[in-house]
Amino acid sequence: MKTVTIYTDGSCEDNPGRGGWAAILKYNGKERIISGGEPETTNNRMELTAALKALQALKRPCTVKLHTDSQYLRHAFINNWIRKWQSNGWITSNRQPVKNQDLWKELWKQNQIHDVQWIKVKAHANNKLNNRVDQLAVKARNRIL
């Protein structure tokens, strides 16, 4: 299986508000950038969208090192929140519907296709690729009217 390194980030002006997402996919010395945005969204939704779009961009099953500064996204997988939500009918431990279910369900499907390692990155720190993907997400957000 190919190993792909991915950096993702989401950005939102106000929350909710105008948002953008971006991902950098790296494989075998090559790089691909994808991005987009929505006029009325949340930061969490943009973080999830960045990861989802990046995984969907892969043409075949891969080993993925997905770097994110979203603890919400990362913990859903490494702490098995997503499995608990599924088994509880997409209800949280606080008996509330899980937000962004559409994205979580699609992320779960992608997580089953790929061998994803959810890697923590500190936001706005000294990580060149994380800072770059953050700038790309902001640019994508700013393209939204």
Side-chain angles (χ1 to χ4, degrees), residues 40-77:
E40 186 66 21
T41 190
T42 64
N43 191 68
N44 280 340
R45 192 160 180 85
M46 293 292 89
E47 294 281 0
L48 300 178
T49 299
L52 176 60
K53 296 292 189 180
L55 293 171
Q56 288 174 332
L58 302 173
K59 294 179 177 145
R60 62 184 56 91
C62 297
T63 298
V64 178
K65 295 179 179 180
L66 196 146
H67 298 77
T68 179
D69 59 20
S70 170
Q71 295 308 307
Y72 175 58
L73 171 60
R74 187 171 162 270
H75 284 292
F77 287 96

mmCIF file of all heavy atoms in Angstrom, residues 40-77:
data_model
loop_
_atom_site.group_PDB
_atom_site.id
_atom_site.type_symbol
_atom_site.label_atom_id
_atom_site.label_comp_id
_atom_site.label_asym_id
_atom_site.label_seq_id
_atom_site.Cartn_x
_atom_site.Cartn_y
_atom_site.Cartn_z
ATOM 1 N N GLU A 40 -21.788 29.803 4.940
ATOM 2 C CA GLU A 40 -22.324 29.773 6.314
ATOM 3 C C GLU A 40 -22.033 28.400 6.901
ATOM 4 O O GLU A 40 -22.669 27.415 6.547
ATOM 5 C CB GLU A 40 -23.829 30.057 6.316
ATOM 6 C CG GLU A 40 -24.447 30.190 7.691
ATOM 7 C CD GLU A 40 -23.969 31.402 8.481
ATOM 8 O OE1 GLU A 40 -23.471 32.382 7.890
ATOM 9 O OE2 GLU A 40 -24.101 31.376 9.712
ATOM 10 N N THR A 41 -21.049 28.354 7.800
ATOM 11 C CA THR A 41 -20.587 27.071 8.318
ATOM 12 C C THR A 41 -19.952 27.270 9.686
ATOM 13 O O THR A 41 -20.033 28.357 10.260
ATOM 14 C CB THR A 41 -19.599 26.432 7.309
ATOM 15 O OG1 THR A 41 -19.325 25.086 7.712
ATOM 16 C CG2 THR A 41 -18.318 27.226 7.173
ATOM 17 N N THR A 42 -19.326 26.223 10.201
ATOM 18 C CA THR A 42 -18.610 26.305 11.477
ATOM 19 C C THR A 42 -17.169 25.847 11.276
ATOM 20 O O THR A 42 -16.850 25.162 10.300
ATOM 21 C CB THR A 42 -19.258 25.411 12.555
ATOM 22 O OG1 THR A 42 -19.152 24.045 12.147
ATOM 23 C CG2 THR A 42 -20.708 25.808 12.802
ATOM 24 N N ASN A 43 -16.326 26.198 12.216
ATOM 25 C CA ASN A 43 -14.936 25.779 12.151
ATOM 26 C C ASN A 43 -14.830 24.254 12.188
ATOM 27 O O ASN A 43 -14.077 23.661 11.412
ATOM 28 C CB ASN A 43 -14.122 26.406 13.283
ATOM 29 C CG ASN A 43 -12.649 26.191 13.056
ATOM 30 O OD1 ASN A 43 -12.081 26.740 12.134
ATOM 31 N ND2 ASN A 43 -12.031 25.354 13.868
ATOM 32 N N ASN A 44 -15.574 23.609 13.083
ATOM 33 C CA ASN A 44 -15.512 22.152 13.153
ATOM 34 C C ASN A 44 -15.921 21.519 11.823
ATOM 35 O O ASN A 44 -15.302 20.552 11.370
ATOM 36 C CB ASN A 44 -16.400 21.606 14.274
ATOM 37 C CG ASN A 44 -15.751 21.721 15.628
ATOM 38 O OD1 ASN A 44 -14.533 21.847 15.734
ATOM 39 N ND2 ASN A 44 -16.550 21.664 16.671
ATOM 40 N N ARG A 45 -16.942 22.059 11.208
ATOM 41 C CA ARG A 45 -17.394 21.511 9.930
ATOM 42 C C ARG A 45 -16.297 21.645 8.863
ATOM 43 O O ARG A 45 -16.092 20.743 8.063
ATOM 44 C CB ARG A 45 -18.689 22.211 9.502
ATOM 45 C CG ARG A 45 -19.367 21.521 8.354
ATOM 46 C CD ARG A 45 -20.833 21.876 8.245
ATOM 47 N NE ARG A 45 -21.388 21.165 7.121
ATOM 48 C CZ ARG A 45 -21.857 19.923 7.144
ATOM 49 N NH1 ARG A 45 -21.865 19.245 8.275
ATOM 50 N NH2 ARG A 45 -22.323 19.353 6.063
ATOM 51 N N MET A 46 -15.570 22.739 8.877
ATOM 52 C CA MET A 46 -14.492 22.924 7.915
ATOM 53 C C MET A 46 -13.316 21.980 8.199
ATOM 54 O O MET A 46 -12.692 21.455 7.269
ATOM 55 C CB MET A 46 -14.022 24.384 7.890
ATOM 56 C CG MET A 46 -15.071 25.357 7.344
ATOM 57 S SD MET A 46 -15.433 25.147 5.570
ATOM 58 C CE MET A 46 -16.771 23.939 5.584
ATOM 59 N N GLU A 47 -13.027 21.750 9.467
ATOM 60 C CA GLU A 47 -11.970 20.792 9.827
ATOM 61 C C GLU A 47 -12.325 19.393 9.316
ATOM 62 O O GLU A 47 -11.484 18.703 8.728
ATOM 63 C CB GLU A 47 -11.773 20.743 11.350
ATOM 64 C CG GLU A 47 -11.250 22.012 11.963
ATOM 65 C CD GLU A 47 -9.751 22.228 11.813
ATOM 66 O OE1 GLU A 47 -9.052 21.370 11.216
ATOM 67 O OE2 GLU A 47 -9.268 23.267 12.296
ATOM 68 N N LEU A 48 -13.569 18.971 9.530
ATOM 69 C CA LEU A 48 -14.011 17.658 9.073
ATOM 70 C C LEU A 48 -14.017 17.569 7.556
ATOM 71 O O LEU A 48 -13.612 16.554 6.971
ATOM 72 C CB LEU A 48 -15.420 17.350 9.609
ATOM 73 C CG LEU A 48 -15.601 17.313 11.120
ATOM 74 C CD1 LEU A 48 -17.052 17.043 11.466
ATOM 75 C CD2 LEU A 48 -14.695 16.298 11.767
ATOM 76 N N THR A 49 -14.465 18.621 6.902
ATOM 77 C CA THR A 49 -14.521 18.637 5.442
ATOM 78 C C THR A 49 -13.127 18.512 4.842
ATOM 79 O O THR A 49 -12.932 17.783 3.854
ATOM 80 C CB THR A 49 -15.213 19.920 4.942
ATOM 81 O OG1 THR A 49 -16.549 19.944 5.456
ATOM 82 C CG2 THR A 49 -15.249 19.987 3.429
ATOM 83 N N ALA A 50 -12.148 19.190 5.417
ATOM 84 C CA ALA A 50 -10.775 19.112 4.902
ATOM 85 C C ALA A 50 -10.274 17.669 4.927
ATOM 86 O O ALA A 50 -9.719 17.175 3.937
ATOM 87 C CB ALA A 50 -9.853 20.021 5.721
ATOM 88 N N ALA A 51 -10.481 16.986 6.037
ATOM 89 C CA ALA A 51 -10.029 15.598 6.149
ATOM 90 C C ALA A 51 -10.798 14.697 5.183
ATOM 91 O O ALA A 51 -10.211 13.853 4.498
ATOM 92 C CB ALA A 51 -10.191 15.104 7.580
ATOM 93 N N LEU A 52 -12.109 14.888 5.107
ATOM 94 C CA LEU A 52 -12.932 14.068 4.226
ATOM 95 C C LEU A 52 -12.526 14.243 2.766
ATOM 96 O O LEU A 52 -12.319 13.258 2.043
ATOM 97 C CB LEU A 52 -14.411 14.402 4.414
ATOM 98 C CG LEU A 52 -15.377 13.675 3.484
ATOM 99 C CD1 LEU A 52 -15.280 12.164 3.656
ATOM 100 C CD2 LEU A 52 -16.799 14.166 3.737
ATOM 101 N N LYS A 53 -12.415 15.474 2.316
ATOM 102 C CA LYS A 53 -12.059 15.730 0.918
ATOM 103 C C LYS A 53 -10.674 15.176 0.588
ATOM 104 O O LYS A 53 -10.449 14.666 -0.517
ATOM 105 C CB LYS A 53 -12.124 17.220 0.603
ATOM 106 C CG LYS A 53 -13.514 17.820 0.718
ATOM 107 C CD LYS A 53 -14.432 17.301 -0.365
ATOM 108 C CE LYS A 53 -15.737 18.076 -0.366
ATOM 109 N NZ LYS A 53 -16.656 17.605 -1.399
ATOM 110 N N ALA A 54 -9.754 15.272 1.526
ATOM 111 C CA ALA A 54 -8.411 14.733 1.300
ATOM 112 C C ALA A 54 -8.461 13.216 1.134
ATOM 113 O O ALA A 54 -7.854 12.666 0.211
ATOM 114 C CB ALA A 54 -7.487 15.120 2.445
ATOM 115 N N LEU A 55 -9.184 12.540 2.015
ATOM 116 C CA LEU A 55 -9.282 11.083 1.920
ATOM 117 C C LEU A 55 -10.024 10.663 0.650
ATOM 118 O O LEU A 55 -9.649 9.683 -0.007
ATOM 119 C CB LEU A 55 -9.957 10.516 3.166
ATOM 120 C CG LEU A 55 -9.154 10.663 4.463
ATOM 121 C CD1 LEU A 55 -9.997 10.283 5.668
ATOM 122 C CD2 LEU A 55 -7.874 9.837 4.400
ATOM 123 N N GLN A 56 -11.060 11.395 0.289
ATOM 124 C CA GLN A 56 -11.806 11.081 -0.924
ATOM 125 C C GLN A 56 -10.967 11.299 -2.186
ATOM 126 O O GLN A 56 -11.259 10.706 -3.225
ATOM 127 C CB GLN A 56 -13.086 11.922 -1.002
ATOM 128 C CG GLN A 56 -14.151 11.511 -0.018
ATOM 129 C CD GLN A 56 -15.350 12.439 -0.016
ATOM 130 O OE1 GLN A 56 -15.251 13.627 -0.322
ATOM 131 N NE2 GLN A 56 -16.506 11.898 0.352
ATOM 132 N N ALA A 57 -9.959 12.126 -2.110
ATOM 133 C CA ALA A 57 -9.107 12.401 -3.271
ATOM 134 C C ALA A 57 -8.176 11.234 -3.603
ATOM 135 O O ALA A 57 -7.631 11.176 -4.708
ATOM 136 C CB ALA A 57 -8.284 13.671 -3.025
ATOM 137 N N LEU A 58 -8.018 10.305 -2.680
ATOM 138 C CA LEU A 58 -7.141 9.153 -2.917
ATOM 139 C C LEU A 58 -7.842 8.156 -3.827
ATOM 140 O O LEU A 58 -8.999 7.817 -3.604
ATOM 141 C CB LEU A 58 -6.750 8.515 -1.579
ATOM 142 C CG LEU A 58 -6.055 9.458 -0.599
ATOM 143 C CD1 LEU A 58 -5.864 8.767 0.746
ATOM 144 C CD2 LEU A 58 -4.725 9.930 -1.165
ATOM 145 N N LYS A 59 -7.129 7.680 -4.830
ATOM 146 C CA LYS A 59 -7.744 6.832 -5.849
ATOM 147 C C LYS A 59 -7.800 5.359 -5.477
ATOM 148 O O LYS A 59 -8.535 4.593 -6.097
ATOM 149 C CB LYS A 59 -7.001 7.010 -7.168
ATOM 150 C CG LYS A 59 -7.166 8.412 -7.716
ATOM 151 C CD LYS A 59 -6.427 8.608 -9.013
ATOM 152 C CE LYS A 59 -6.724 10.007 -9.511
ATOM 153 N NZ LYS A 59 -5.630 10.629 -10.168
ATOM 154 N N ARG A 60 -7.002 4.955 -4.489
ATOM 155 C CA ARG A 60 -7.003 3.556 -4.051
ATOM 156 C C ARG A 60 -6.681 3.526 -2.564
ATOM 157 O O ARG A 60 -6.203 4.533 -2.017
ATOM 158 C CB ARG A 60 -6.010 2.733 -4.859
ATOM 159 C CG ARG A 60 -4.585 3.161 -4.725
ATOM 160 C CD ARG A 60 -3.621 2.395 -5.620
ATOM 161 N NE ARG A 60 -3.967 2.462 -7.023
ATOM 162 C CZ ARG A 60 -3.515 3.382 -7.870
ATOM 163 N NH1 ARG A 60 -2.712 4.326 -7.433
ATOM 164 N NH2 ARG A 60 -3.854 3.384 -9.125
ATOM 165 N N PRO A 61 -6.929 2.408 -1.903
ATOM 166 C CA PRO A 61 -6.613 2.337 -0.472
ATOM 167 C C PRO A 61 -5.138 2.643 -0.204
ATOM 168 O O PRO A 61 -4.254 2.173 -0.926
ATOM 169 C CB PRO A 61 -6.955 0.889 -0.114
ATOM 170 C CG PRO A 61 -7.996 0.489 -1.109
ATOM 171 C CD PRO A 61 -7.593 1.184 -2.376
ATOM 172 N N CYS A 62 -4.906 3.450 0.815
ATOM 173 C CA CYS A 62 -3.555 3.883 1.169
ATOM 174 C C CYS A 62 -3.356 3.839 2.674
ATOM 175 O O CYS A 62 -4.317 3.883 3.438
ATOM 176 C CB CYS A 62 -3.324 5.333 0.725
ATOM 177 S SG CYS A 62 -3.408 5.605 -1.045
ATOM 178 N N THR A 63 -2.102 3.805 3.066
ATOM 179 C CA THR A 63 -1.729 4.120 4.435
ATOM 180 C C THR A 63 -1.629 5.638 4.472
ATOM 181 O O THR A 63 -0.951 6.234 3.628
ATOM 182 C CB THR A 63 -0.392 3.479 4.817
ATOM 183 O OG1 THR A 63 -0.529 2.057 4.741
ATOM 184 C CG2 THR A 63 0.044 3.892 6.213
ATOM 185 N N VAL A 64 -2.333 6.256 5.400
ATOM 186 C CA VAL A 64 -2.406 7.716 5.447
ATOM 187 C C VAL A 64 -1.913 8.218 6.798
ATOM 188 O O VAL A 64 -2.372 7.755 7.844
ATOM 189 C CB VAL A 64 -3.848 8.206 5.212
ATOM 190 C CG1 VAL A 64 -3.930 9.723 5.318
ATOM 191 C CG2 VAL A 64 -4.379 7.717 3.869
ATOM 192 N N LYS A 65 -0.992 9.164 6.748
ATOM 193 C CA LYS A 65 -0.556 9.883 7.940
ATOM 194 C C LYS A 65 -1.232 11.242 7.870
ATOM 195 O O LYS A 65 -0.753 12.138 7.182
ATOM 196 C CB LYS A 65 0.960 10.006 7.968
ATOM 197 C CG LYS A 65 1.640 8.652 8.092
ATOM 198 C CD LYS A 65 3.141 8.788 8.103
ATOM 199 C CE LYS A 65 3.765 7.408 8.249
ATOM 200 N NZ LYS A 65 5.218 7.477 8.274
ATOM 201 N N LEU A 66 -2.381 11.355 8.529
ATOM 202 C CA LEU A 66 -3.188 12.566 8.447
ATOM 203 C C LEU A 66 -2.893 13.453 9.654
ATOM 204 O O LEU A 66 -3.176 13.087 10.786
ATOM 205 C CB LEU A 66 -4.674 12.227 8.381
ATOM 206 C CG LEU A 66 -5.546 13.396 7.922
ATOM 207 C CD1 LEU A 66 -6.713 12.867 7.097
ATOM 208 C CD2 LEU A 66 -6.039 14.219 9.072
ATOM 209 N N HIS A 67 -2.326 14.618 9.381
ATOM 210 C CA HIS A 67 -1.957 15.584 10.419
ATOM 211 C C HIS A 67 -3.064 16.620 10.552
ATOM 212 O O HIS A 67 -3.467 17.225 9.558
ATOM 213 C CB HIS A 67 -0.647 16.277 10.044
ATOM 214 C CG HIS A 67 0.506 15.342 9.933
ATOM 215 N ND1 HIS A 67 0.702 14.522 8.845
ATOM 216 C CD2 HIS A 67 1.527 15.087 10.780
ATOM 217 C CE1 HIS A 67 1.792 13.808 9.017
ATOM 218 N NE2 HIS A 67 2.314 14.132 10.178
ATOM 219 N N THR A 68 -3.530 16.818 11.770
ATOM 220 C CA THR A 68 -4.597 17.776 12.033
ATOM 221 C C THR A 68 -4.362 18.482 13.361
ATOM 222 O O THR A 68 -3.835 17.884 14.297
ATOM 223 C CB THR A 68 -5.975 17.088 12.034
ATOM 224 O OG1 THR A 68 -6.994 18.058 12.327
ATOM 225 C CG2 THR A 68 -6.068 15.961 13.049
ATOM 226 N N ASP A 69 -4.784 19.738 13.421
ATOM 227 C CA ASP A 69 -4.743 20.444 14.701
ATOM 228 C C ASP A 69 -6.119 20.420 15.374
ATOM 229 O O ASP A 69 -6.318 21.025 16.413
ATOM 230 C CB ASP A 69 -4.208 21.872 14.549
ATOM 231 C CG ASP A 69 -5.015 22.733 13.602
ATOM 232 O OD1 ASP A 69 -6.188 22.414 13.318
ATOM 233 O OD2 ASP A 69 -4.469 23.749 13.124
ATOM 234 N N SER A 70 -7.063 19.687 14.767
ATOM 235 C CA SER A 70 -8.406 19.565 15.336
ATOM 236 C C SER A 70 -8.471 18.364 16.288
ATOM 237 O O SER A 70 -8.496 17.210 15.854
ATOM 238 C CB SER A 70 -9.443 19.380 14.223
ATOM 239 O OG SER A 70 -10.697 19.030 14.790
ATOM 240 N N GLN A 71 -8.510 18.666 17.560
ATOM 241 C CA GLN A 71 -8.621 17.578 18.536
ATOM 242 C C GLN A 71 -9.993 16.899 18.443
ATOM 243 O O GLN A 71 -10.113 15.697 18.691
ATOM 244 C CB GLN A 71 -8.356 18.106 19.949
ATOM 245 C CG GLN A 71 -6.926 18.594 20.125
ATOM 246 C CD GLN A 71 -5.893 17.566 19.686
ATOM 247 O OE1 GLN A 71 -5.903 16.422 20.114
ATOM 248 N NE2 GLN A 71 -5.000 17.969 18.789
ATOM 249 N N TYR A 72 -11.001 17.643 18.090
ATOM 250 C CA TYR A 72 -12.357 17.101 17.882
ATOM 251 C C TYR A 72 -12.311 15.987 16.835
ATOM 252 O O TYR A 72 -12.809 14.880 17.064
ATOM 253 C CB TYR A 72 -13.249 18.254 17.437
ATOM 254 C CG TYR A 72 -14.667 17.941 17.045
ATOM 255 C CD1 TYR A 72 -15.547 17.313 17.923
ATOM 256 C CD2 TYR A 72 -15.146 18.343 15.803
ATOM 257 C CE1 TYR A 72 -16.865 17.067 17.556
ATOM 258 C CE2 TYR A 72 -16.461 18.118 15.434
ATOM 259 C CZ TYR A 72 -17.323 17.470 16.314
ATOM 260 O OH TYR A 72 -18.620 17.243 15.955
ATOM 261 N N LEU A 73 -11.678 16.244 15.718
ATOM 262 C CA LEU A 73 -11.555 15.256 14.645
ATOM 263 C C LEU A 73 -10.699 14.078 15.090
ATOM 264 O O LEU A 73 -11.110 12.919 14.974
ATOM 265 C CB LEU A 73 -10.944 15.925 13.403
ATOM 266 C CG LEU A 73 -10.532 15.017 12.246
ATOM 267 C CD1 LEU A 73 -11.717 14.237 11.707
ATOM 268 C CD2 LEU A 73 -9.883 15.849 11.151
ATOM 269 N N ARG A 74 -9.551 14.348 15.603
ATOM 270 C CA ARG A 74 -8.604 13.300 15.979
ATOM 271 C C ARG A 74 -9.172 12.397 17.079
ATOM 272 O O ARG A 74 -9.128 11.178 16.964
ATOM 273 C CB ARG A 74 -7.295 13.941 16.424
ATOM 274 C CG ARG A 74 -6.187 12.969 16.676
ATOM 275 C CD ARG A 74 -4.864 13.722 16.893
ATOM 276 N NE ARG A 74 -3.940 12.840 17.536
ATOM 277 C CZ ARG A 74 -3.810 12.714 18.846
ATOM 278 N NH1 ARG A 74 -4.522 13.438 19.670
ATOM 279 N NH2 ARG A 74 -2.933 11.859 19.340
ATOM 280 N N HIS A 75 -9.707 13.005 18.124
ATOM 281 C CA HIS A 75 -10.214 12.209 19.250
ATOM 282 C C HIS A 75 -11.413 11.357 18.877
ATOM 283 O O HIS A 75 -11.624 10.297 19.459
ATOM 284 C CB HIS A 75 -10.550 13.105 20.445
ATOM 285 C CG HIS A 75 -9.338 13.567 21.185
ATOM 286 N ND1 HIS A 75 -8.532 12.732 21.902
ATOM 287 C CD2 HIS A 75 -8.789 14.803 21.285
ATOM 288 C CE1 HIS A 75 -7.542 13.408 22.438
ATOM 289 N NE2 HIS A 75 -7.667 14.676 22.063
ATOM 290 N N ALA A 76 -12.194 11.784 17.921
ATOM 291 C CA ALA A 76 -13.338 10.972 17.490
ATOM 292 C C ALA A 76 -12.876 9.600 17.019
ATOM 293 O O ALA A 76 -13.575 8.601 17.216
ATOM 294 C CB ALA A 76 -14.114 11.685 16.392
ATOM 295 N N PHE A 77 -11.693 9.541 16.420
ATOM 296 C CA PHE A 77 -11.169 8.266 15.933
ATOM 297 C C PHE A 77 -10.268 7.573 16.948
ATOM 298 O O PHE A 77 -10.433 6.380 17.195
ATOM 299 C CB PHE A 77 -10.444 8.458 14.601
ATOM 300 C CG PHE A 77 -11.406 8.704 13.474
ATOM 301 C CD1 PHE A 77 -11.701 9.994 13.065
ATOM 302 C CD2 PHE A 77 -12.050 7.653 12.852
ATOM 303 C CE1 PHE A 77 -12.613 10.227 12.045
ATOM 304 C CE2 PHE A 77 -12.966 7.877 11.831
ATOM 305 C CZ PHE A 77 -13.239 9.165 11.427
#
